[in-house]
Amino acid sequence: MLITPAIVALQLIALSVAGTVLLAAGFAWKILRHWNIYSGSELQLRLERRTYLISTLLGFALGAELLSLLLFAQTAESLSGQFVGAMCATGVLNVNRFGFPTLLLKIALFFLAALWLLLNRVDNRGYDYPLVRVKYGLLLALAPLALLEGTVQTRFFLELEPEVITSCCGSLFSATGQGVAAELASLPARPALVLFYAMAGLLLVMGLAFRRWPQLGPLFAATNLLTFAVAIAGIVAFLSLYVYENPNHHCPFCLLKAGYDYVGYALYLPLFGATAAGMGAGIIAPFRRIVSLQATIPGEMRHLTGLALTGFGVFYGLATWLMLRSNLILLG
Amino acid sequence: MIELREVSKVFNQGQPNECRALRKLSLHLERGGITVFKGPSGSGKTTLLTLIGCLARPTAGRITLDGRLLSNLPERFLTEVRRHTFGFVFQQFNLIRGLTVLENVMLPAYPLGKPYRELRDGARALLDRFRLAAKADSRVEWLSGGEAQRTALARALINDPAVLIADEPTANLDSALSREVLGLLLGELAMQGRTVLISSHDPLVFEAVQVDRIIELHDGRMVGDSQC
């Protein structure tokens, strides 16, 4: 096992998130079973008082979880010099079988945690705890993932053996390889490019329609998620080629390297942030008719939709600029 | 206007020193008028007023204000209700030492964000009404007991609350000063249509002619309720 300050920080975050979520899951179960806002029973009043403490603790823990995705990617990238065969984060994540599962769990938890934090923020602005059951229900869904992520990440770091010779992005993100990464890498560039920009157009139309017809919320949330998936596929299929100016280099992690001006961070941060904001906007829309949230949700939806469209705008703008300035001629 | 349904308050619950201050108390208080809560020390008067005034939460039971549940409100909403609905006068005055009389009176209004000039004029008008205009720039530690309680009264009214809560307002005053403070509290304020809730075991208070209702407490239970 390697021990670096970043690994220790990631493990501490995982431990505190798992501990807090586990503690809160027991409370969440009580909320789902016994919560009755019209009751003046001791139990109900105790639940009302405790929800402040629990949601505050969860706020800090899940906020740290959001940051841990960034730290994990940066740590994987920075460790690439320690392993034979690793040129970037891909090689490090390939050192053992827990690397990519950890990353995928972290991405899933990033969106779930962002959603929980948003629901908590909206719930705290209603005078009668309007979303208390929804947010604690979501917490129960999130808890097993958080525990699993903590376990898988621990196994990943424990089994990081420096003598392992790993394979890097050249073999994983290869058009001739096997698996999801290889399939993304082998996508034909032109249709992928058309789909990439078609999704941007669809998202913009959906965003404007959602502002006018809030009942389209769930559809807008789904469009955000789909645009995120297409954007990631686009990065692997063609955007990375333009950045590296190499028709065979599809790695989405080398973008995080200093040699490419850390452009990956500038692409991924708005992409992840915008997706979380857009999904959040769509998911809170169905709650806009709750009396105590009628004054809060419309403003929150507008704000989040604006954030999502701006974030995707930054991502697409940067992606377009990267392709235009590249010396690679991919589409003849 | 204010309704309590089976309200209980237990301090140090589950500890050896557990104290049941209120036991399943139900009560309906109409808007306007003067209600006095009387009873011996430890009967639950102060606890009841702190629960009604949203300074504490009950252990069980519900409190509503104009039909809206108060006792379960999240803290940020409770603060708003406290600021706009209730004015408090405490037994120990609770004035802020080091500040002047005028500053003490203005203090509860700062979070509402009124223009300073309007706020200061309002505070000066209150001090004038309570014959404290000459003391406006004096520090509160220089005041006599009666002046201090009148300052506290002015402070309680700066946000024009619908409900004025006074906890043993005459406990630290001699008879003459008590009559003076009571004259203001019971005479002038009740005529403005405010709801005045007073806890006291001072006969000067509950025998006053302006009192509309007397509720007697003992060991956290209501043992008497009489209209005057």
Side-chain angles (χ1 to χ4, degrees), chain A residues 6-304:
Chain A
I7 290 176
V8 173
L10 281 164
Q11 283 301 96
L12 284 176
I13 291 173
L15 194 68
S16 51
V17 169
T20 311
V21 164
L22 200 61
L23 175 86
F27 179 74
W29 180 243
K30 278 188 195 162
I31 290 269
L32 293 184
R33 283 191 65 203
H34 301 295
W35 184 269
N36 176 7
I37 194 70
Y38 300 107
S39 164
S41 70
E42 275 191 51
L43 174 62
Q44 172 63 21
L45 269 71
R46 209 162 44 238
L47 292 175
E48 286 170 11
R49 280 195 297 272
R50 281 206 189 146
T51 185
Y52 292 114
L53 175 66
I54 300 288
S55 59
T56 304
L57 289 174
L58 279 169
F60 282 109
L62 296 180
E65 180 64 41
L66 297 184
L67 294 176
S68 83
L69 173 61
L70 182 66
L71 183 59
F72 183 76
Q74 196 277 333
T75 305
E77 168 54 34
S78 68
L79 290 175
S80 58
Q82 311 264 343
F83 297 91
V84 177
M87 314 287 273
C88 66
T90 309
V92 178
L93 295 175
N94 259 336
V95 166
N96 60 50
R97 63 200 161 104
F98 299 107
F100 275 101
T102 305
L103 179 68
L104 293 176
L105 281 167
K106 278 202 178 291
I107 291 173
L109 270 173
F110 174 89
F111 290 122
L112 287 174
L115 193 55
W116 193 92
L117 289 169
L118 174 65
L119 287 174
N120 185 48
R121 176 183 150 87
V122 173
D123 183 50
N124 285 343
R125 291 163 73 182
Y127 56 79
D128 55 355
Y129 310 85
L131 302 182
V132 74
R133 282 179 185 275
V134 179
K135 75 179 183 186
Y136 283 108
L138 176 63
L139 183 77
L140 283 181
L142 182 153
L145 276 183
L147 297 176
L148 185 63
E149 184 236 26
T151 311
V152 174
Q153 180 183 283
T154 305
R155 292 288 302 271
F156 171 60
F157 286 132
L158 281 175
E159 296 182 23
L160 271 184
E161 302 296 343
E163 62 271 19
V164 169
I165 299 172
T166 181
S167 57
C168 202
C169 47
S171 59
L172 190 68
F173 294 97
S174 156
T176 56
Q178 285 187 332
V180 178
E183 282 181 22
L184 289 177
S186 63
L187 283 176
R190 191 181 297 273
L193 194 69
V194 170
L195 182 64
F196 184 76
Y197 282 106
M199 278 313 297
L202 178 64
L203 185 75
L204 183 64
V205 170
M206 279 303 302
L208 296 176
F210 172 56
R211 283 199 163 193
R212 188 172 169 81
W213 297 291
Q215 61 269 33
L216 295 175
L219 204 56
F220 180 62
T223 310
N224 272 273
L225 194 58
L226 193 60
T227 309
F228 172 79
V230 169
I232 295 288
I235 288 172
V236 176
F238 60 86
L239 184 58
S240 52
L241 308 183
Y242 280 106
V243 175
Y244 310 136
E245 298 182 347
N246 178 340
N248 296 310
H249 191 187
H250 290 272
C251 179
F253 295 101
C254 287
L255 295 170
L256 302 174
K257 285 189 165 299
Y260 300 105
D261 303 323
Y262 304 107
V263 73
Y265 292 106
L267 284 167
Y268 292 128
L269 286 177
L271 179 61
F272 276 76
T275 307
M279 284 171 64
I283 282 167
I284 61 171
F287 305 118
R288 69 193 181 282
R289 290 206 178 88
I290 295 174
V291 176
S292 59
L293 293 178
Q294 279 174 350
T296 302
I297 285 195
E300 199 71 32
M301 276 166 28
R302 269 195 305 277
H303 176 65
L304 289 168

Side-chain angles (χ1 to χ4, degrees), chain B residues 2-18:
Chain B
I2 299 172
E3 190 178 4
L4 288 83
R5 292 199 303 266
E6 301 209 326
V7 169
S8 298
K9 180 68 180 175
V10 185
F11 293 101
N12 305 319
Q13 195 169 22
Q15 307 295 317
N17 58 345
E18 178 176 294

Side-chain angles (χ1 to χ4, degrees), chain B residues 126 129-130 152-161 164 189 194:
Chain B
L126 277 171
R129 210 164 103 200
F130 293 142
L153 204 49
R155 183 183 60 180
L157 296 174
I158 189 70
N159 288 337
D160 195 22
L164 185 77
L189 299 182
R194 285 183 219 278

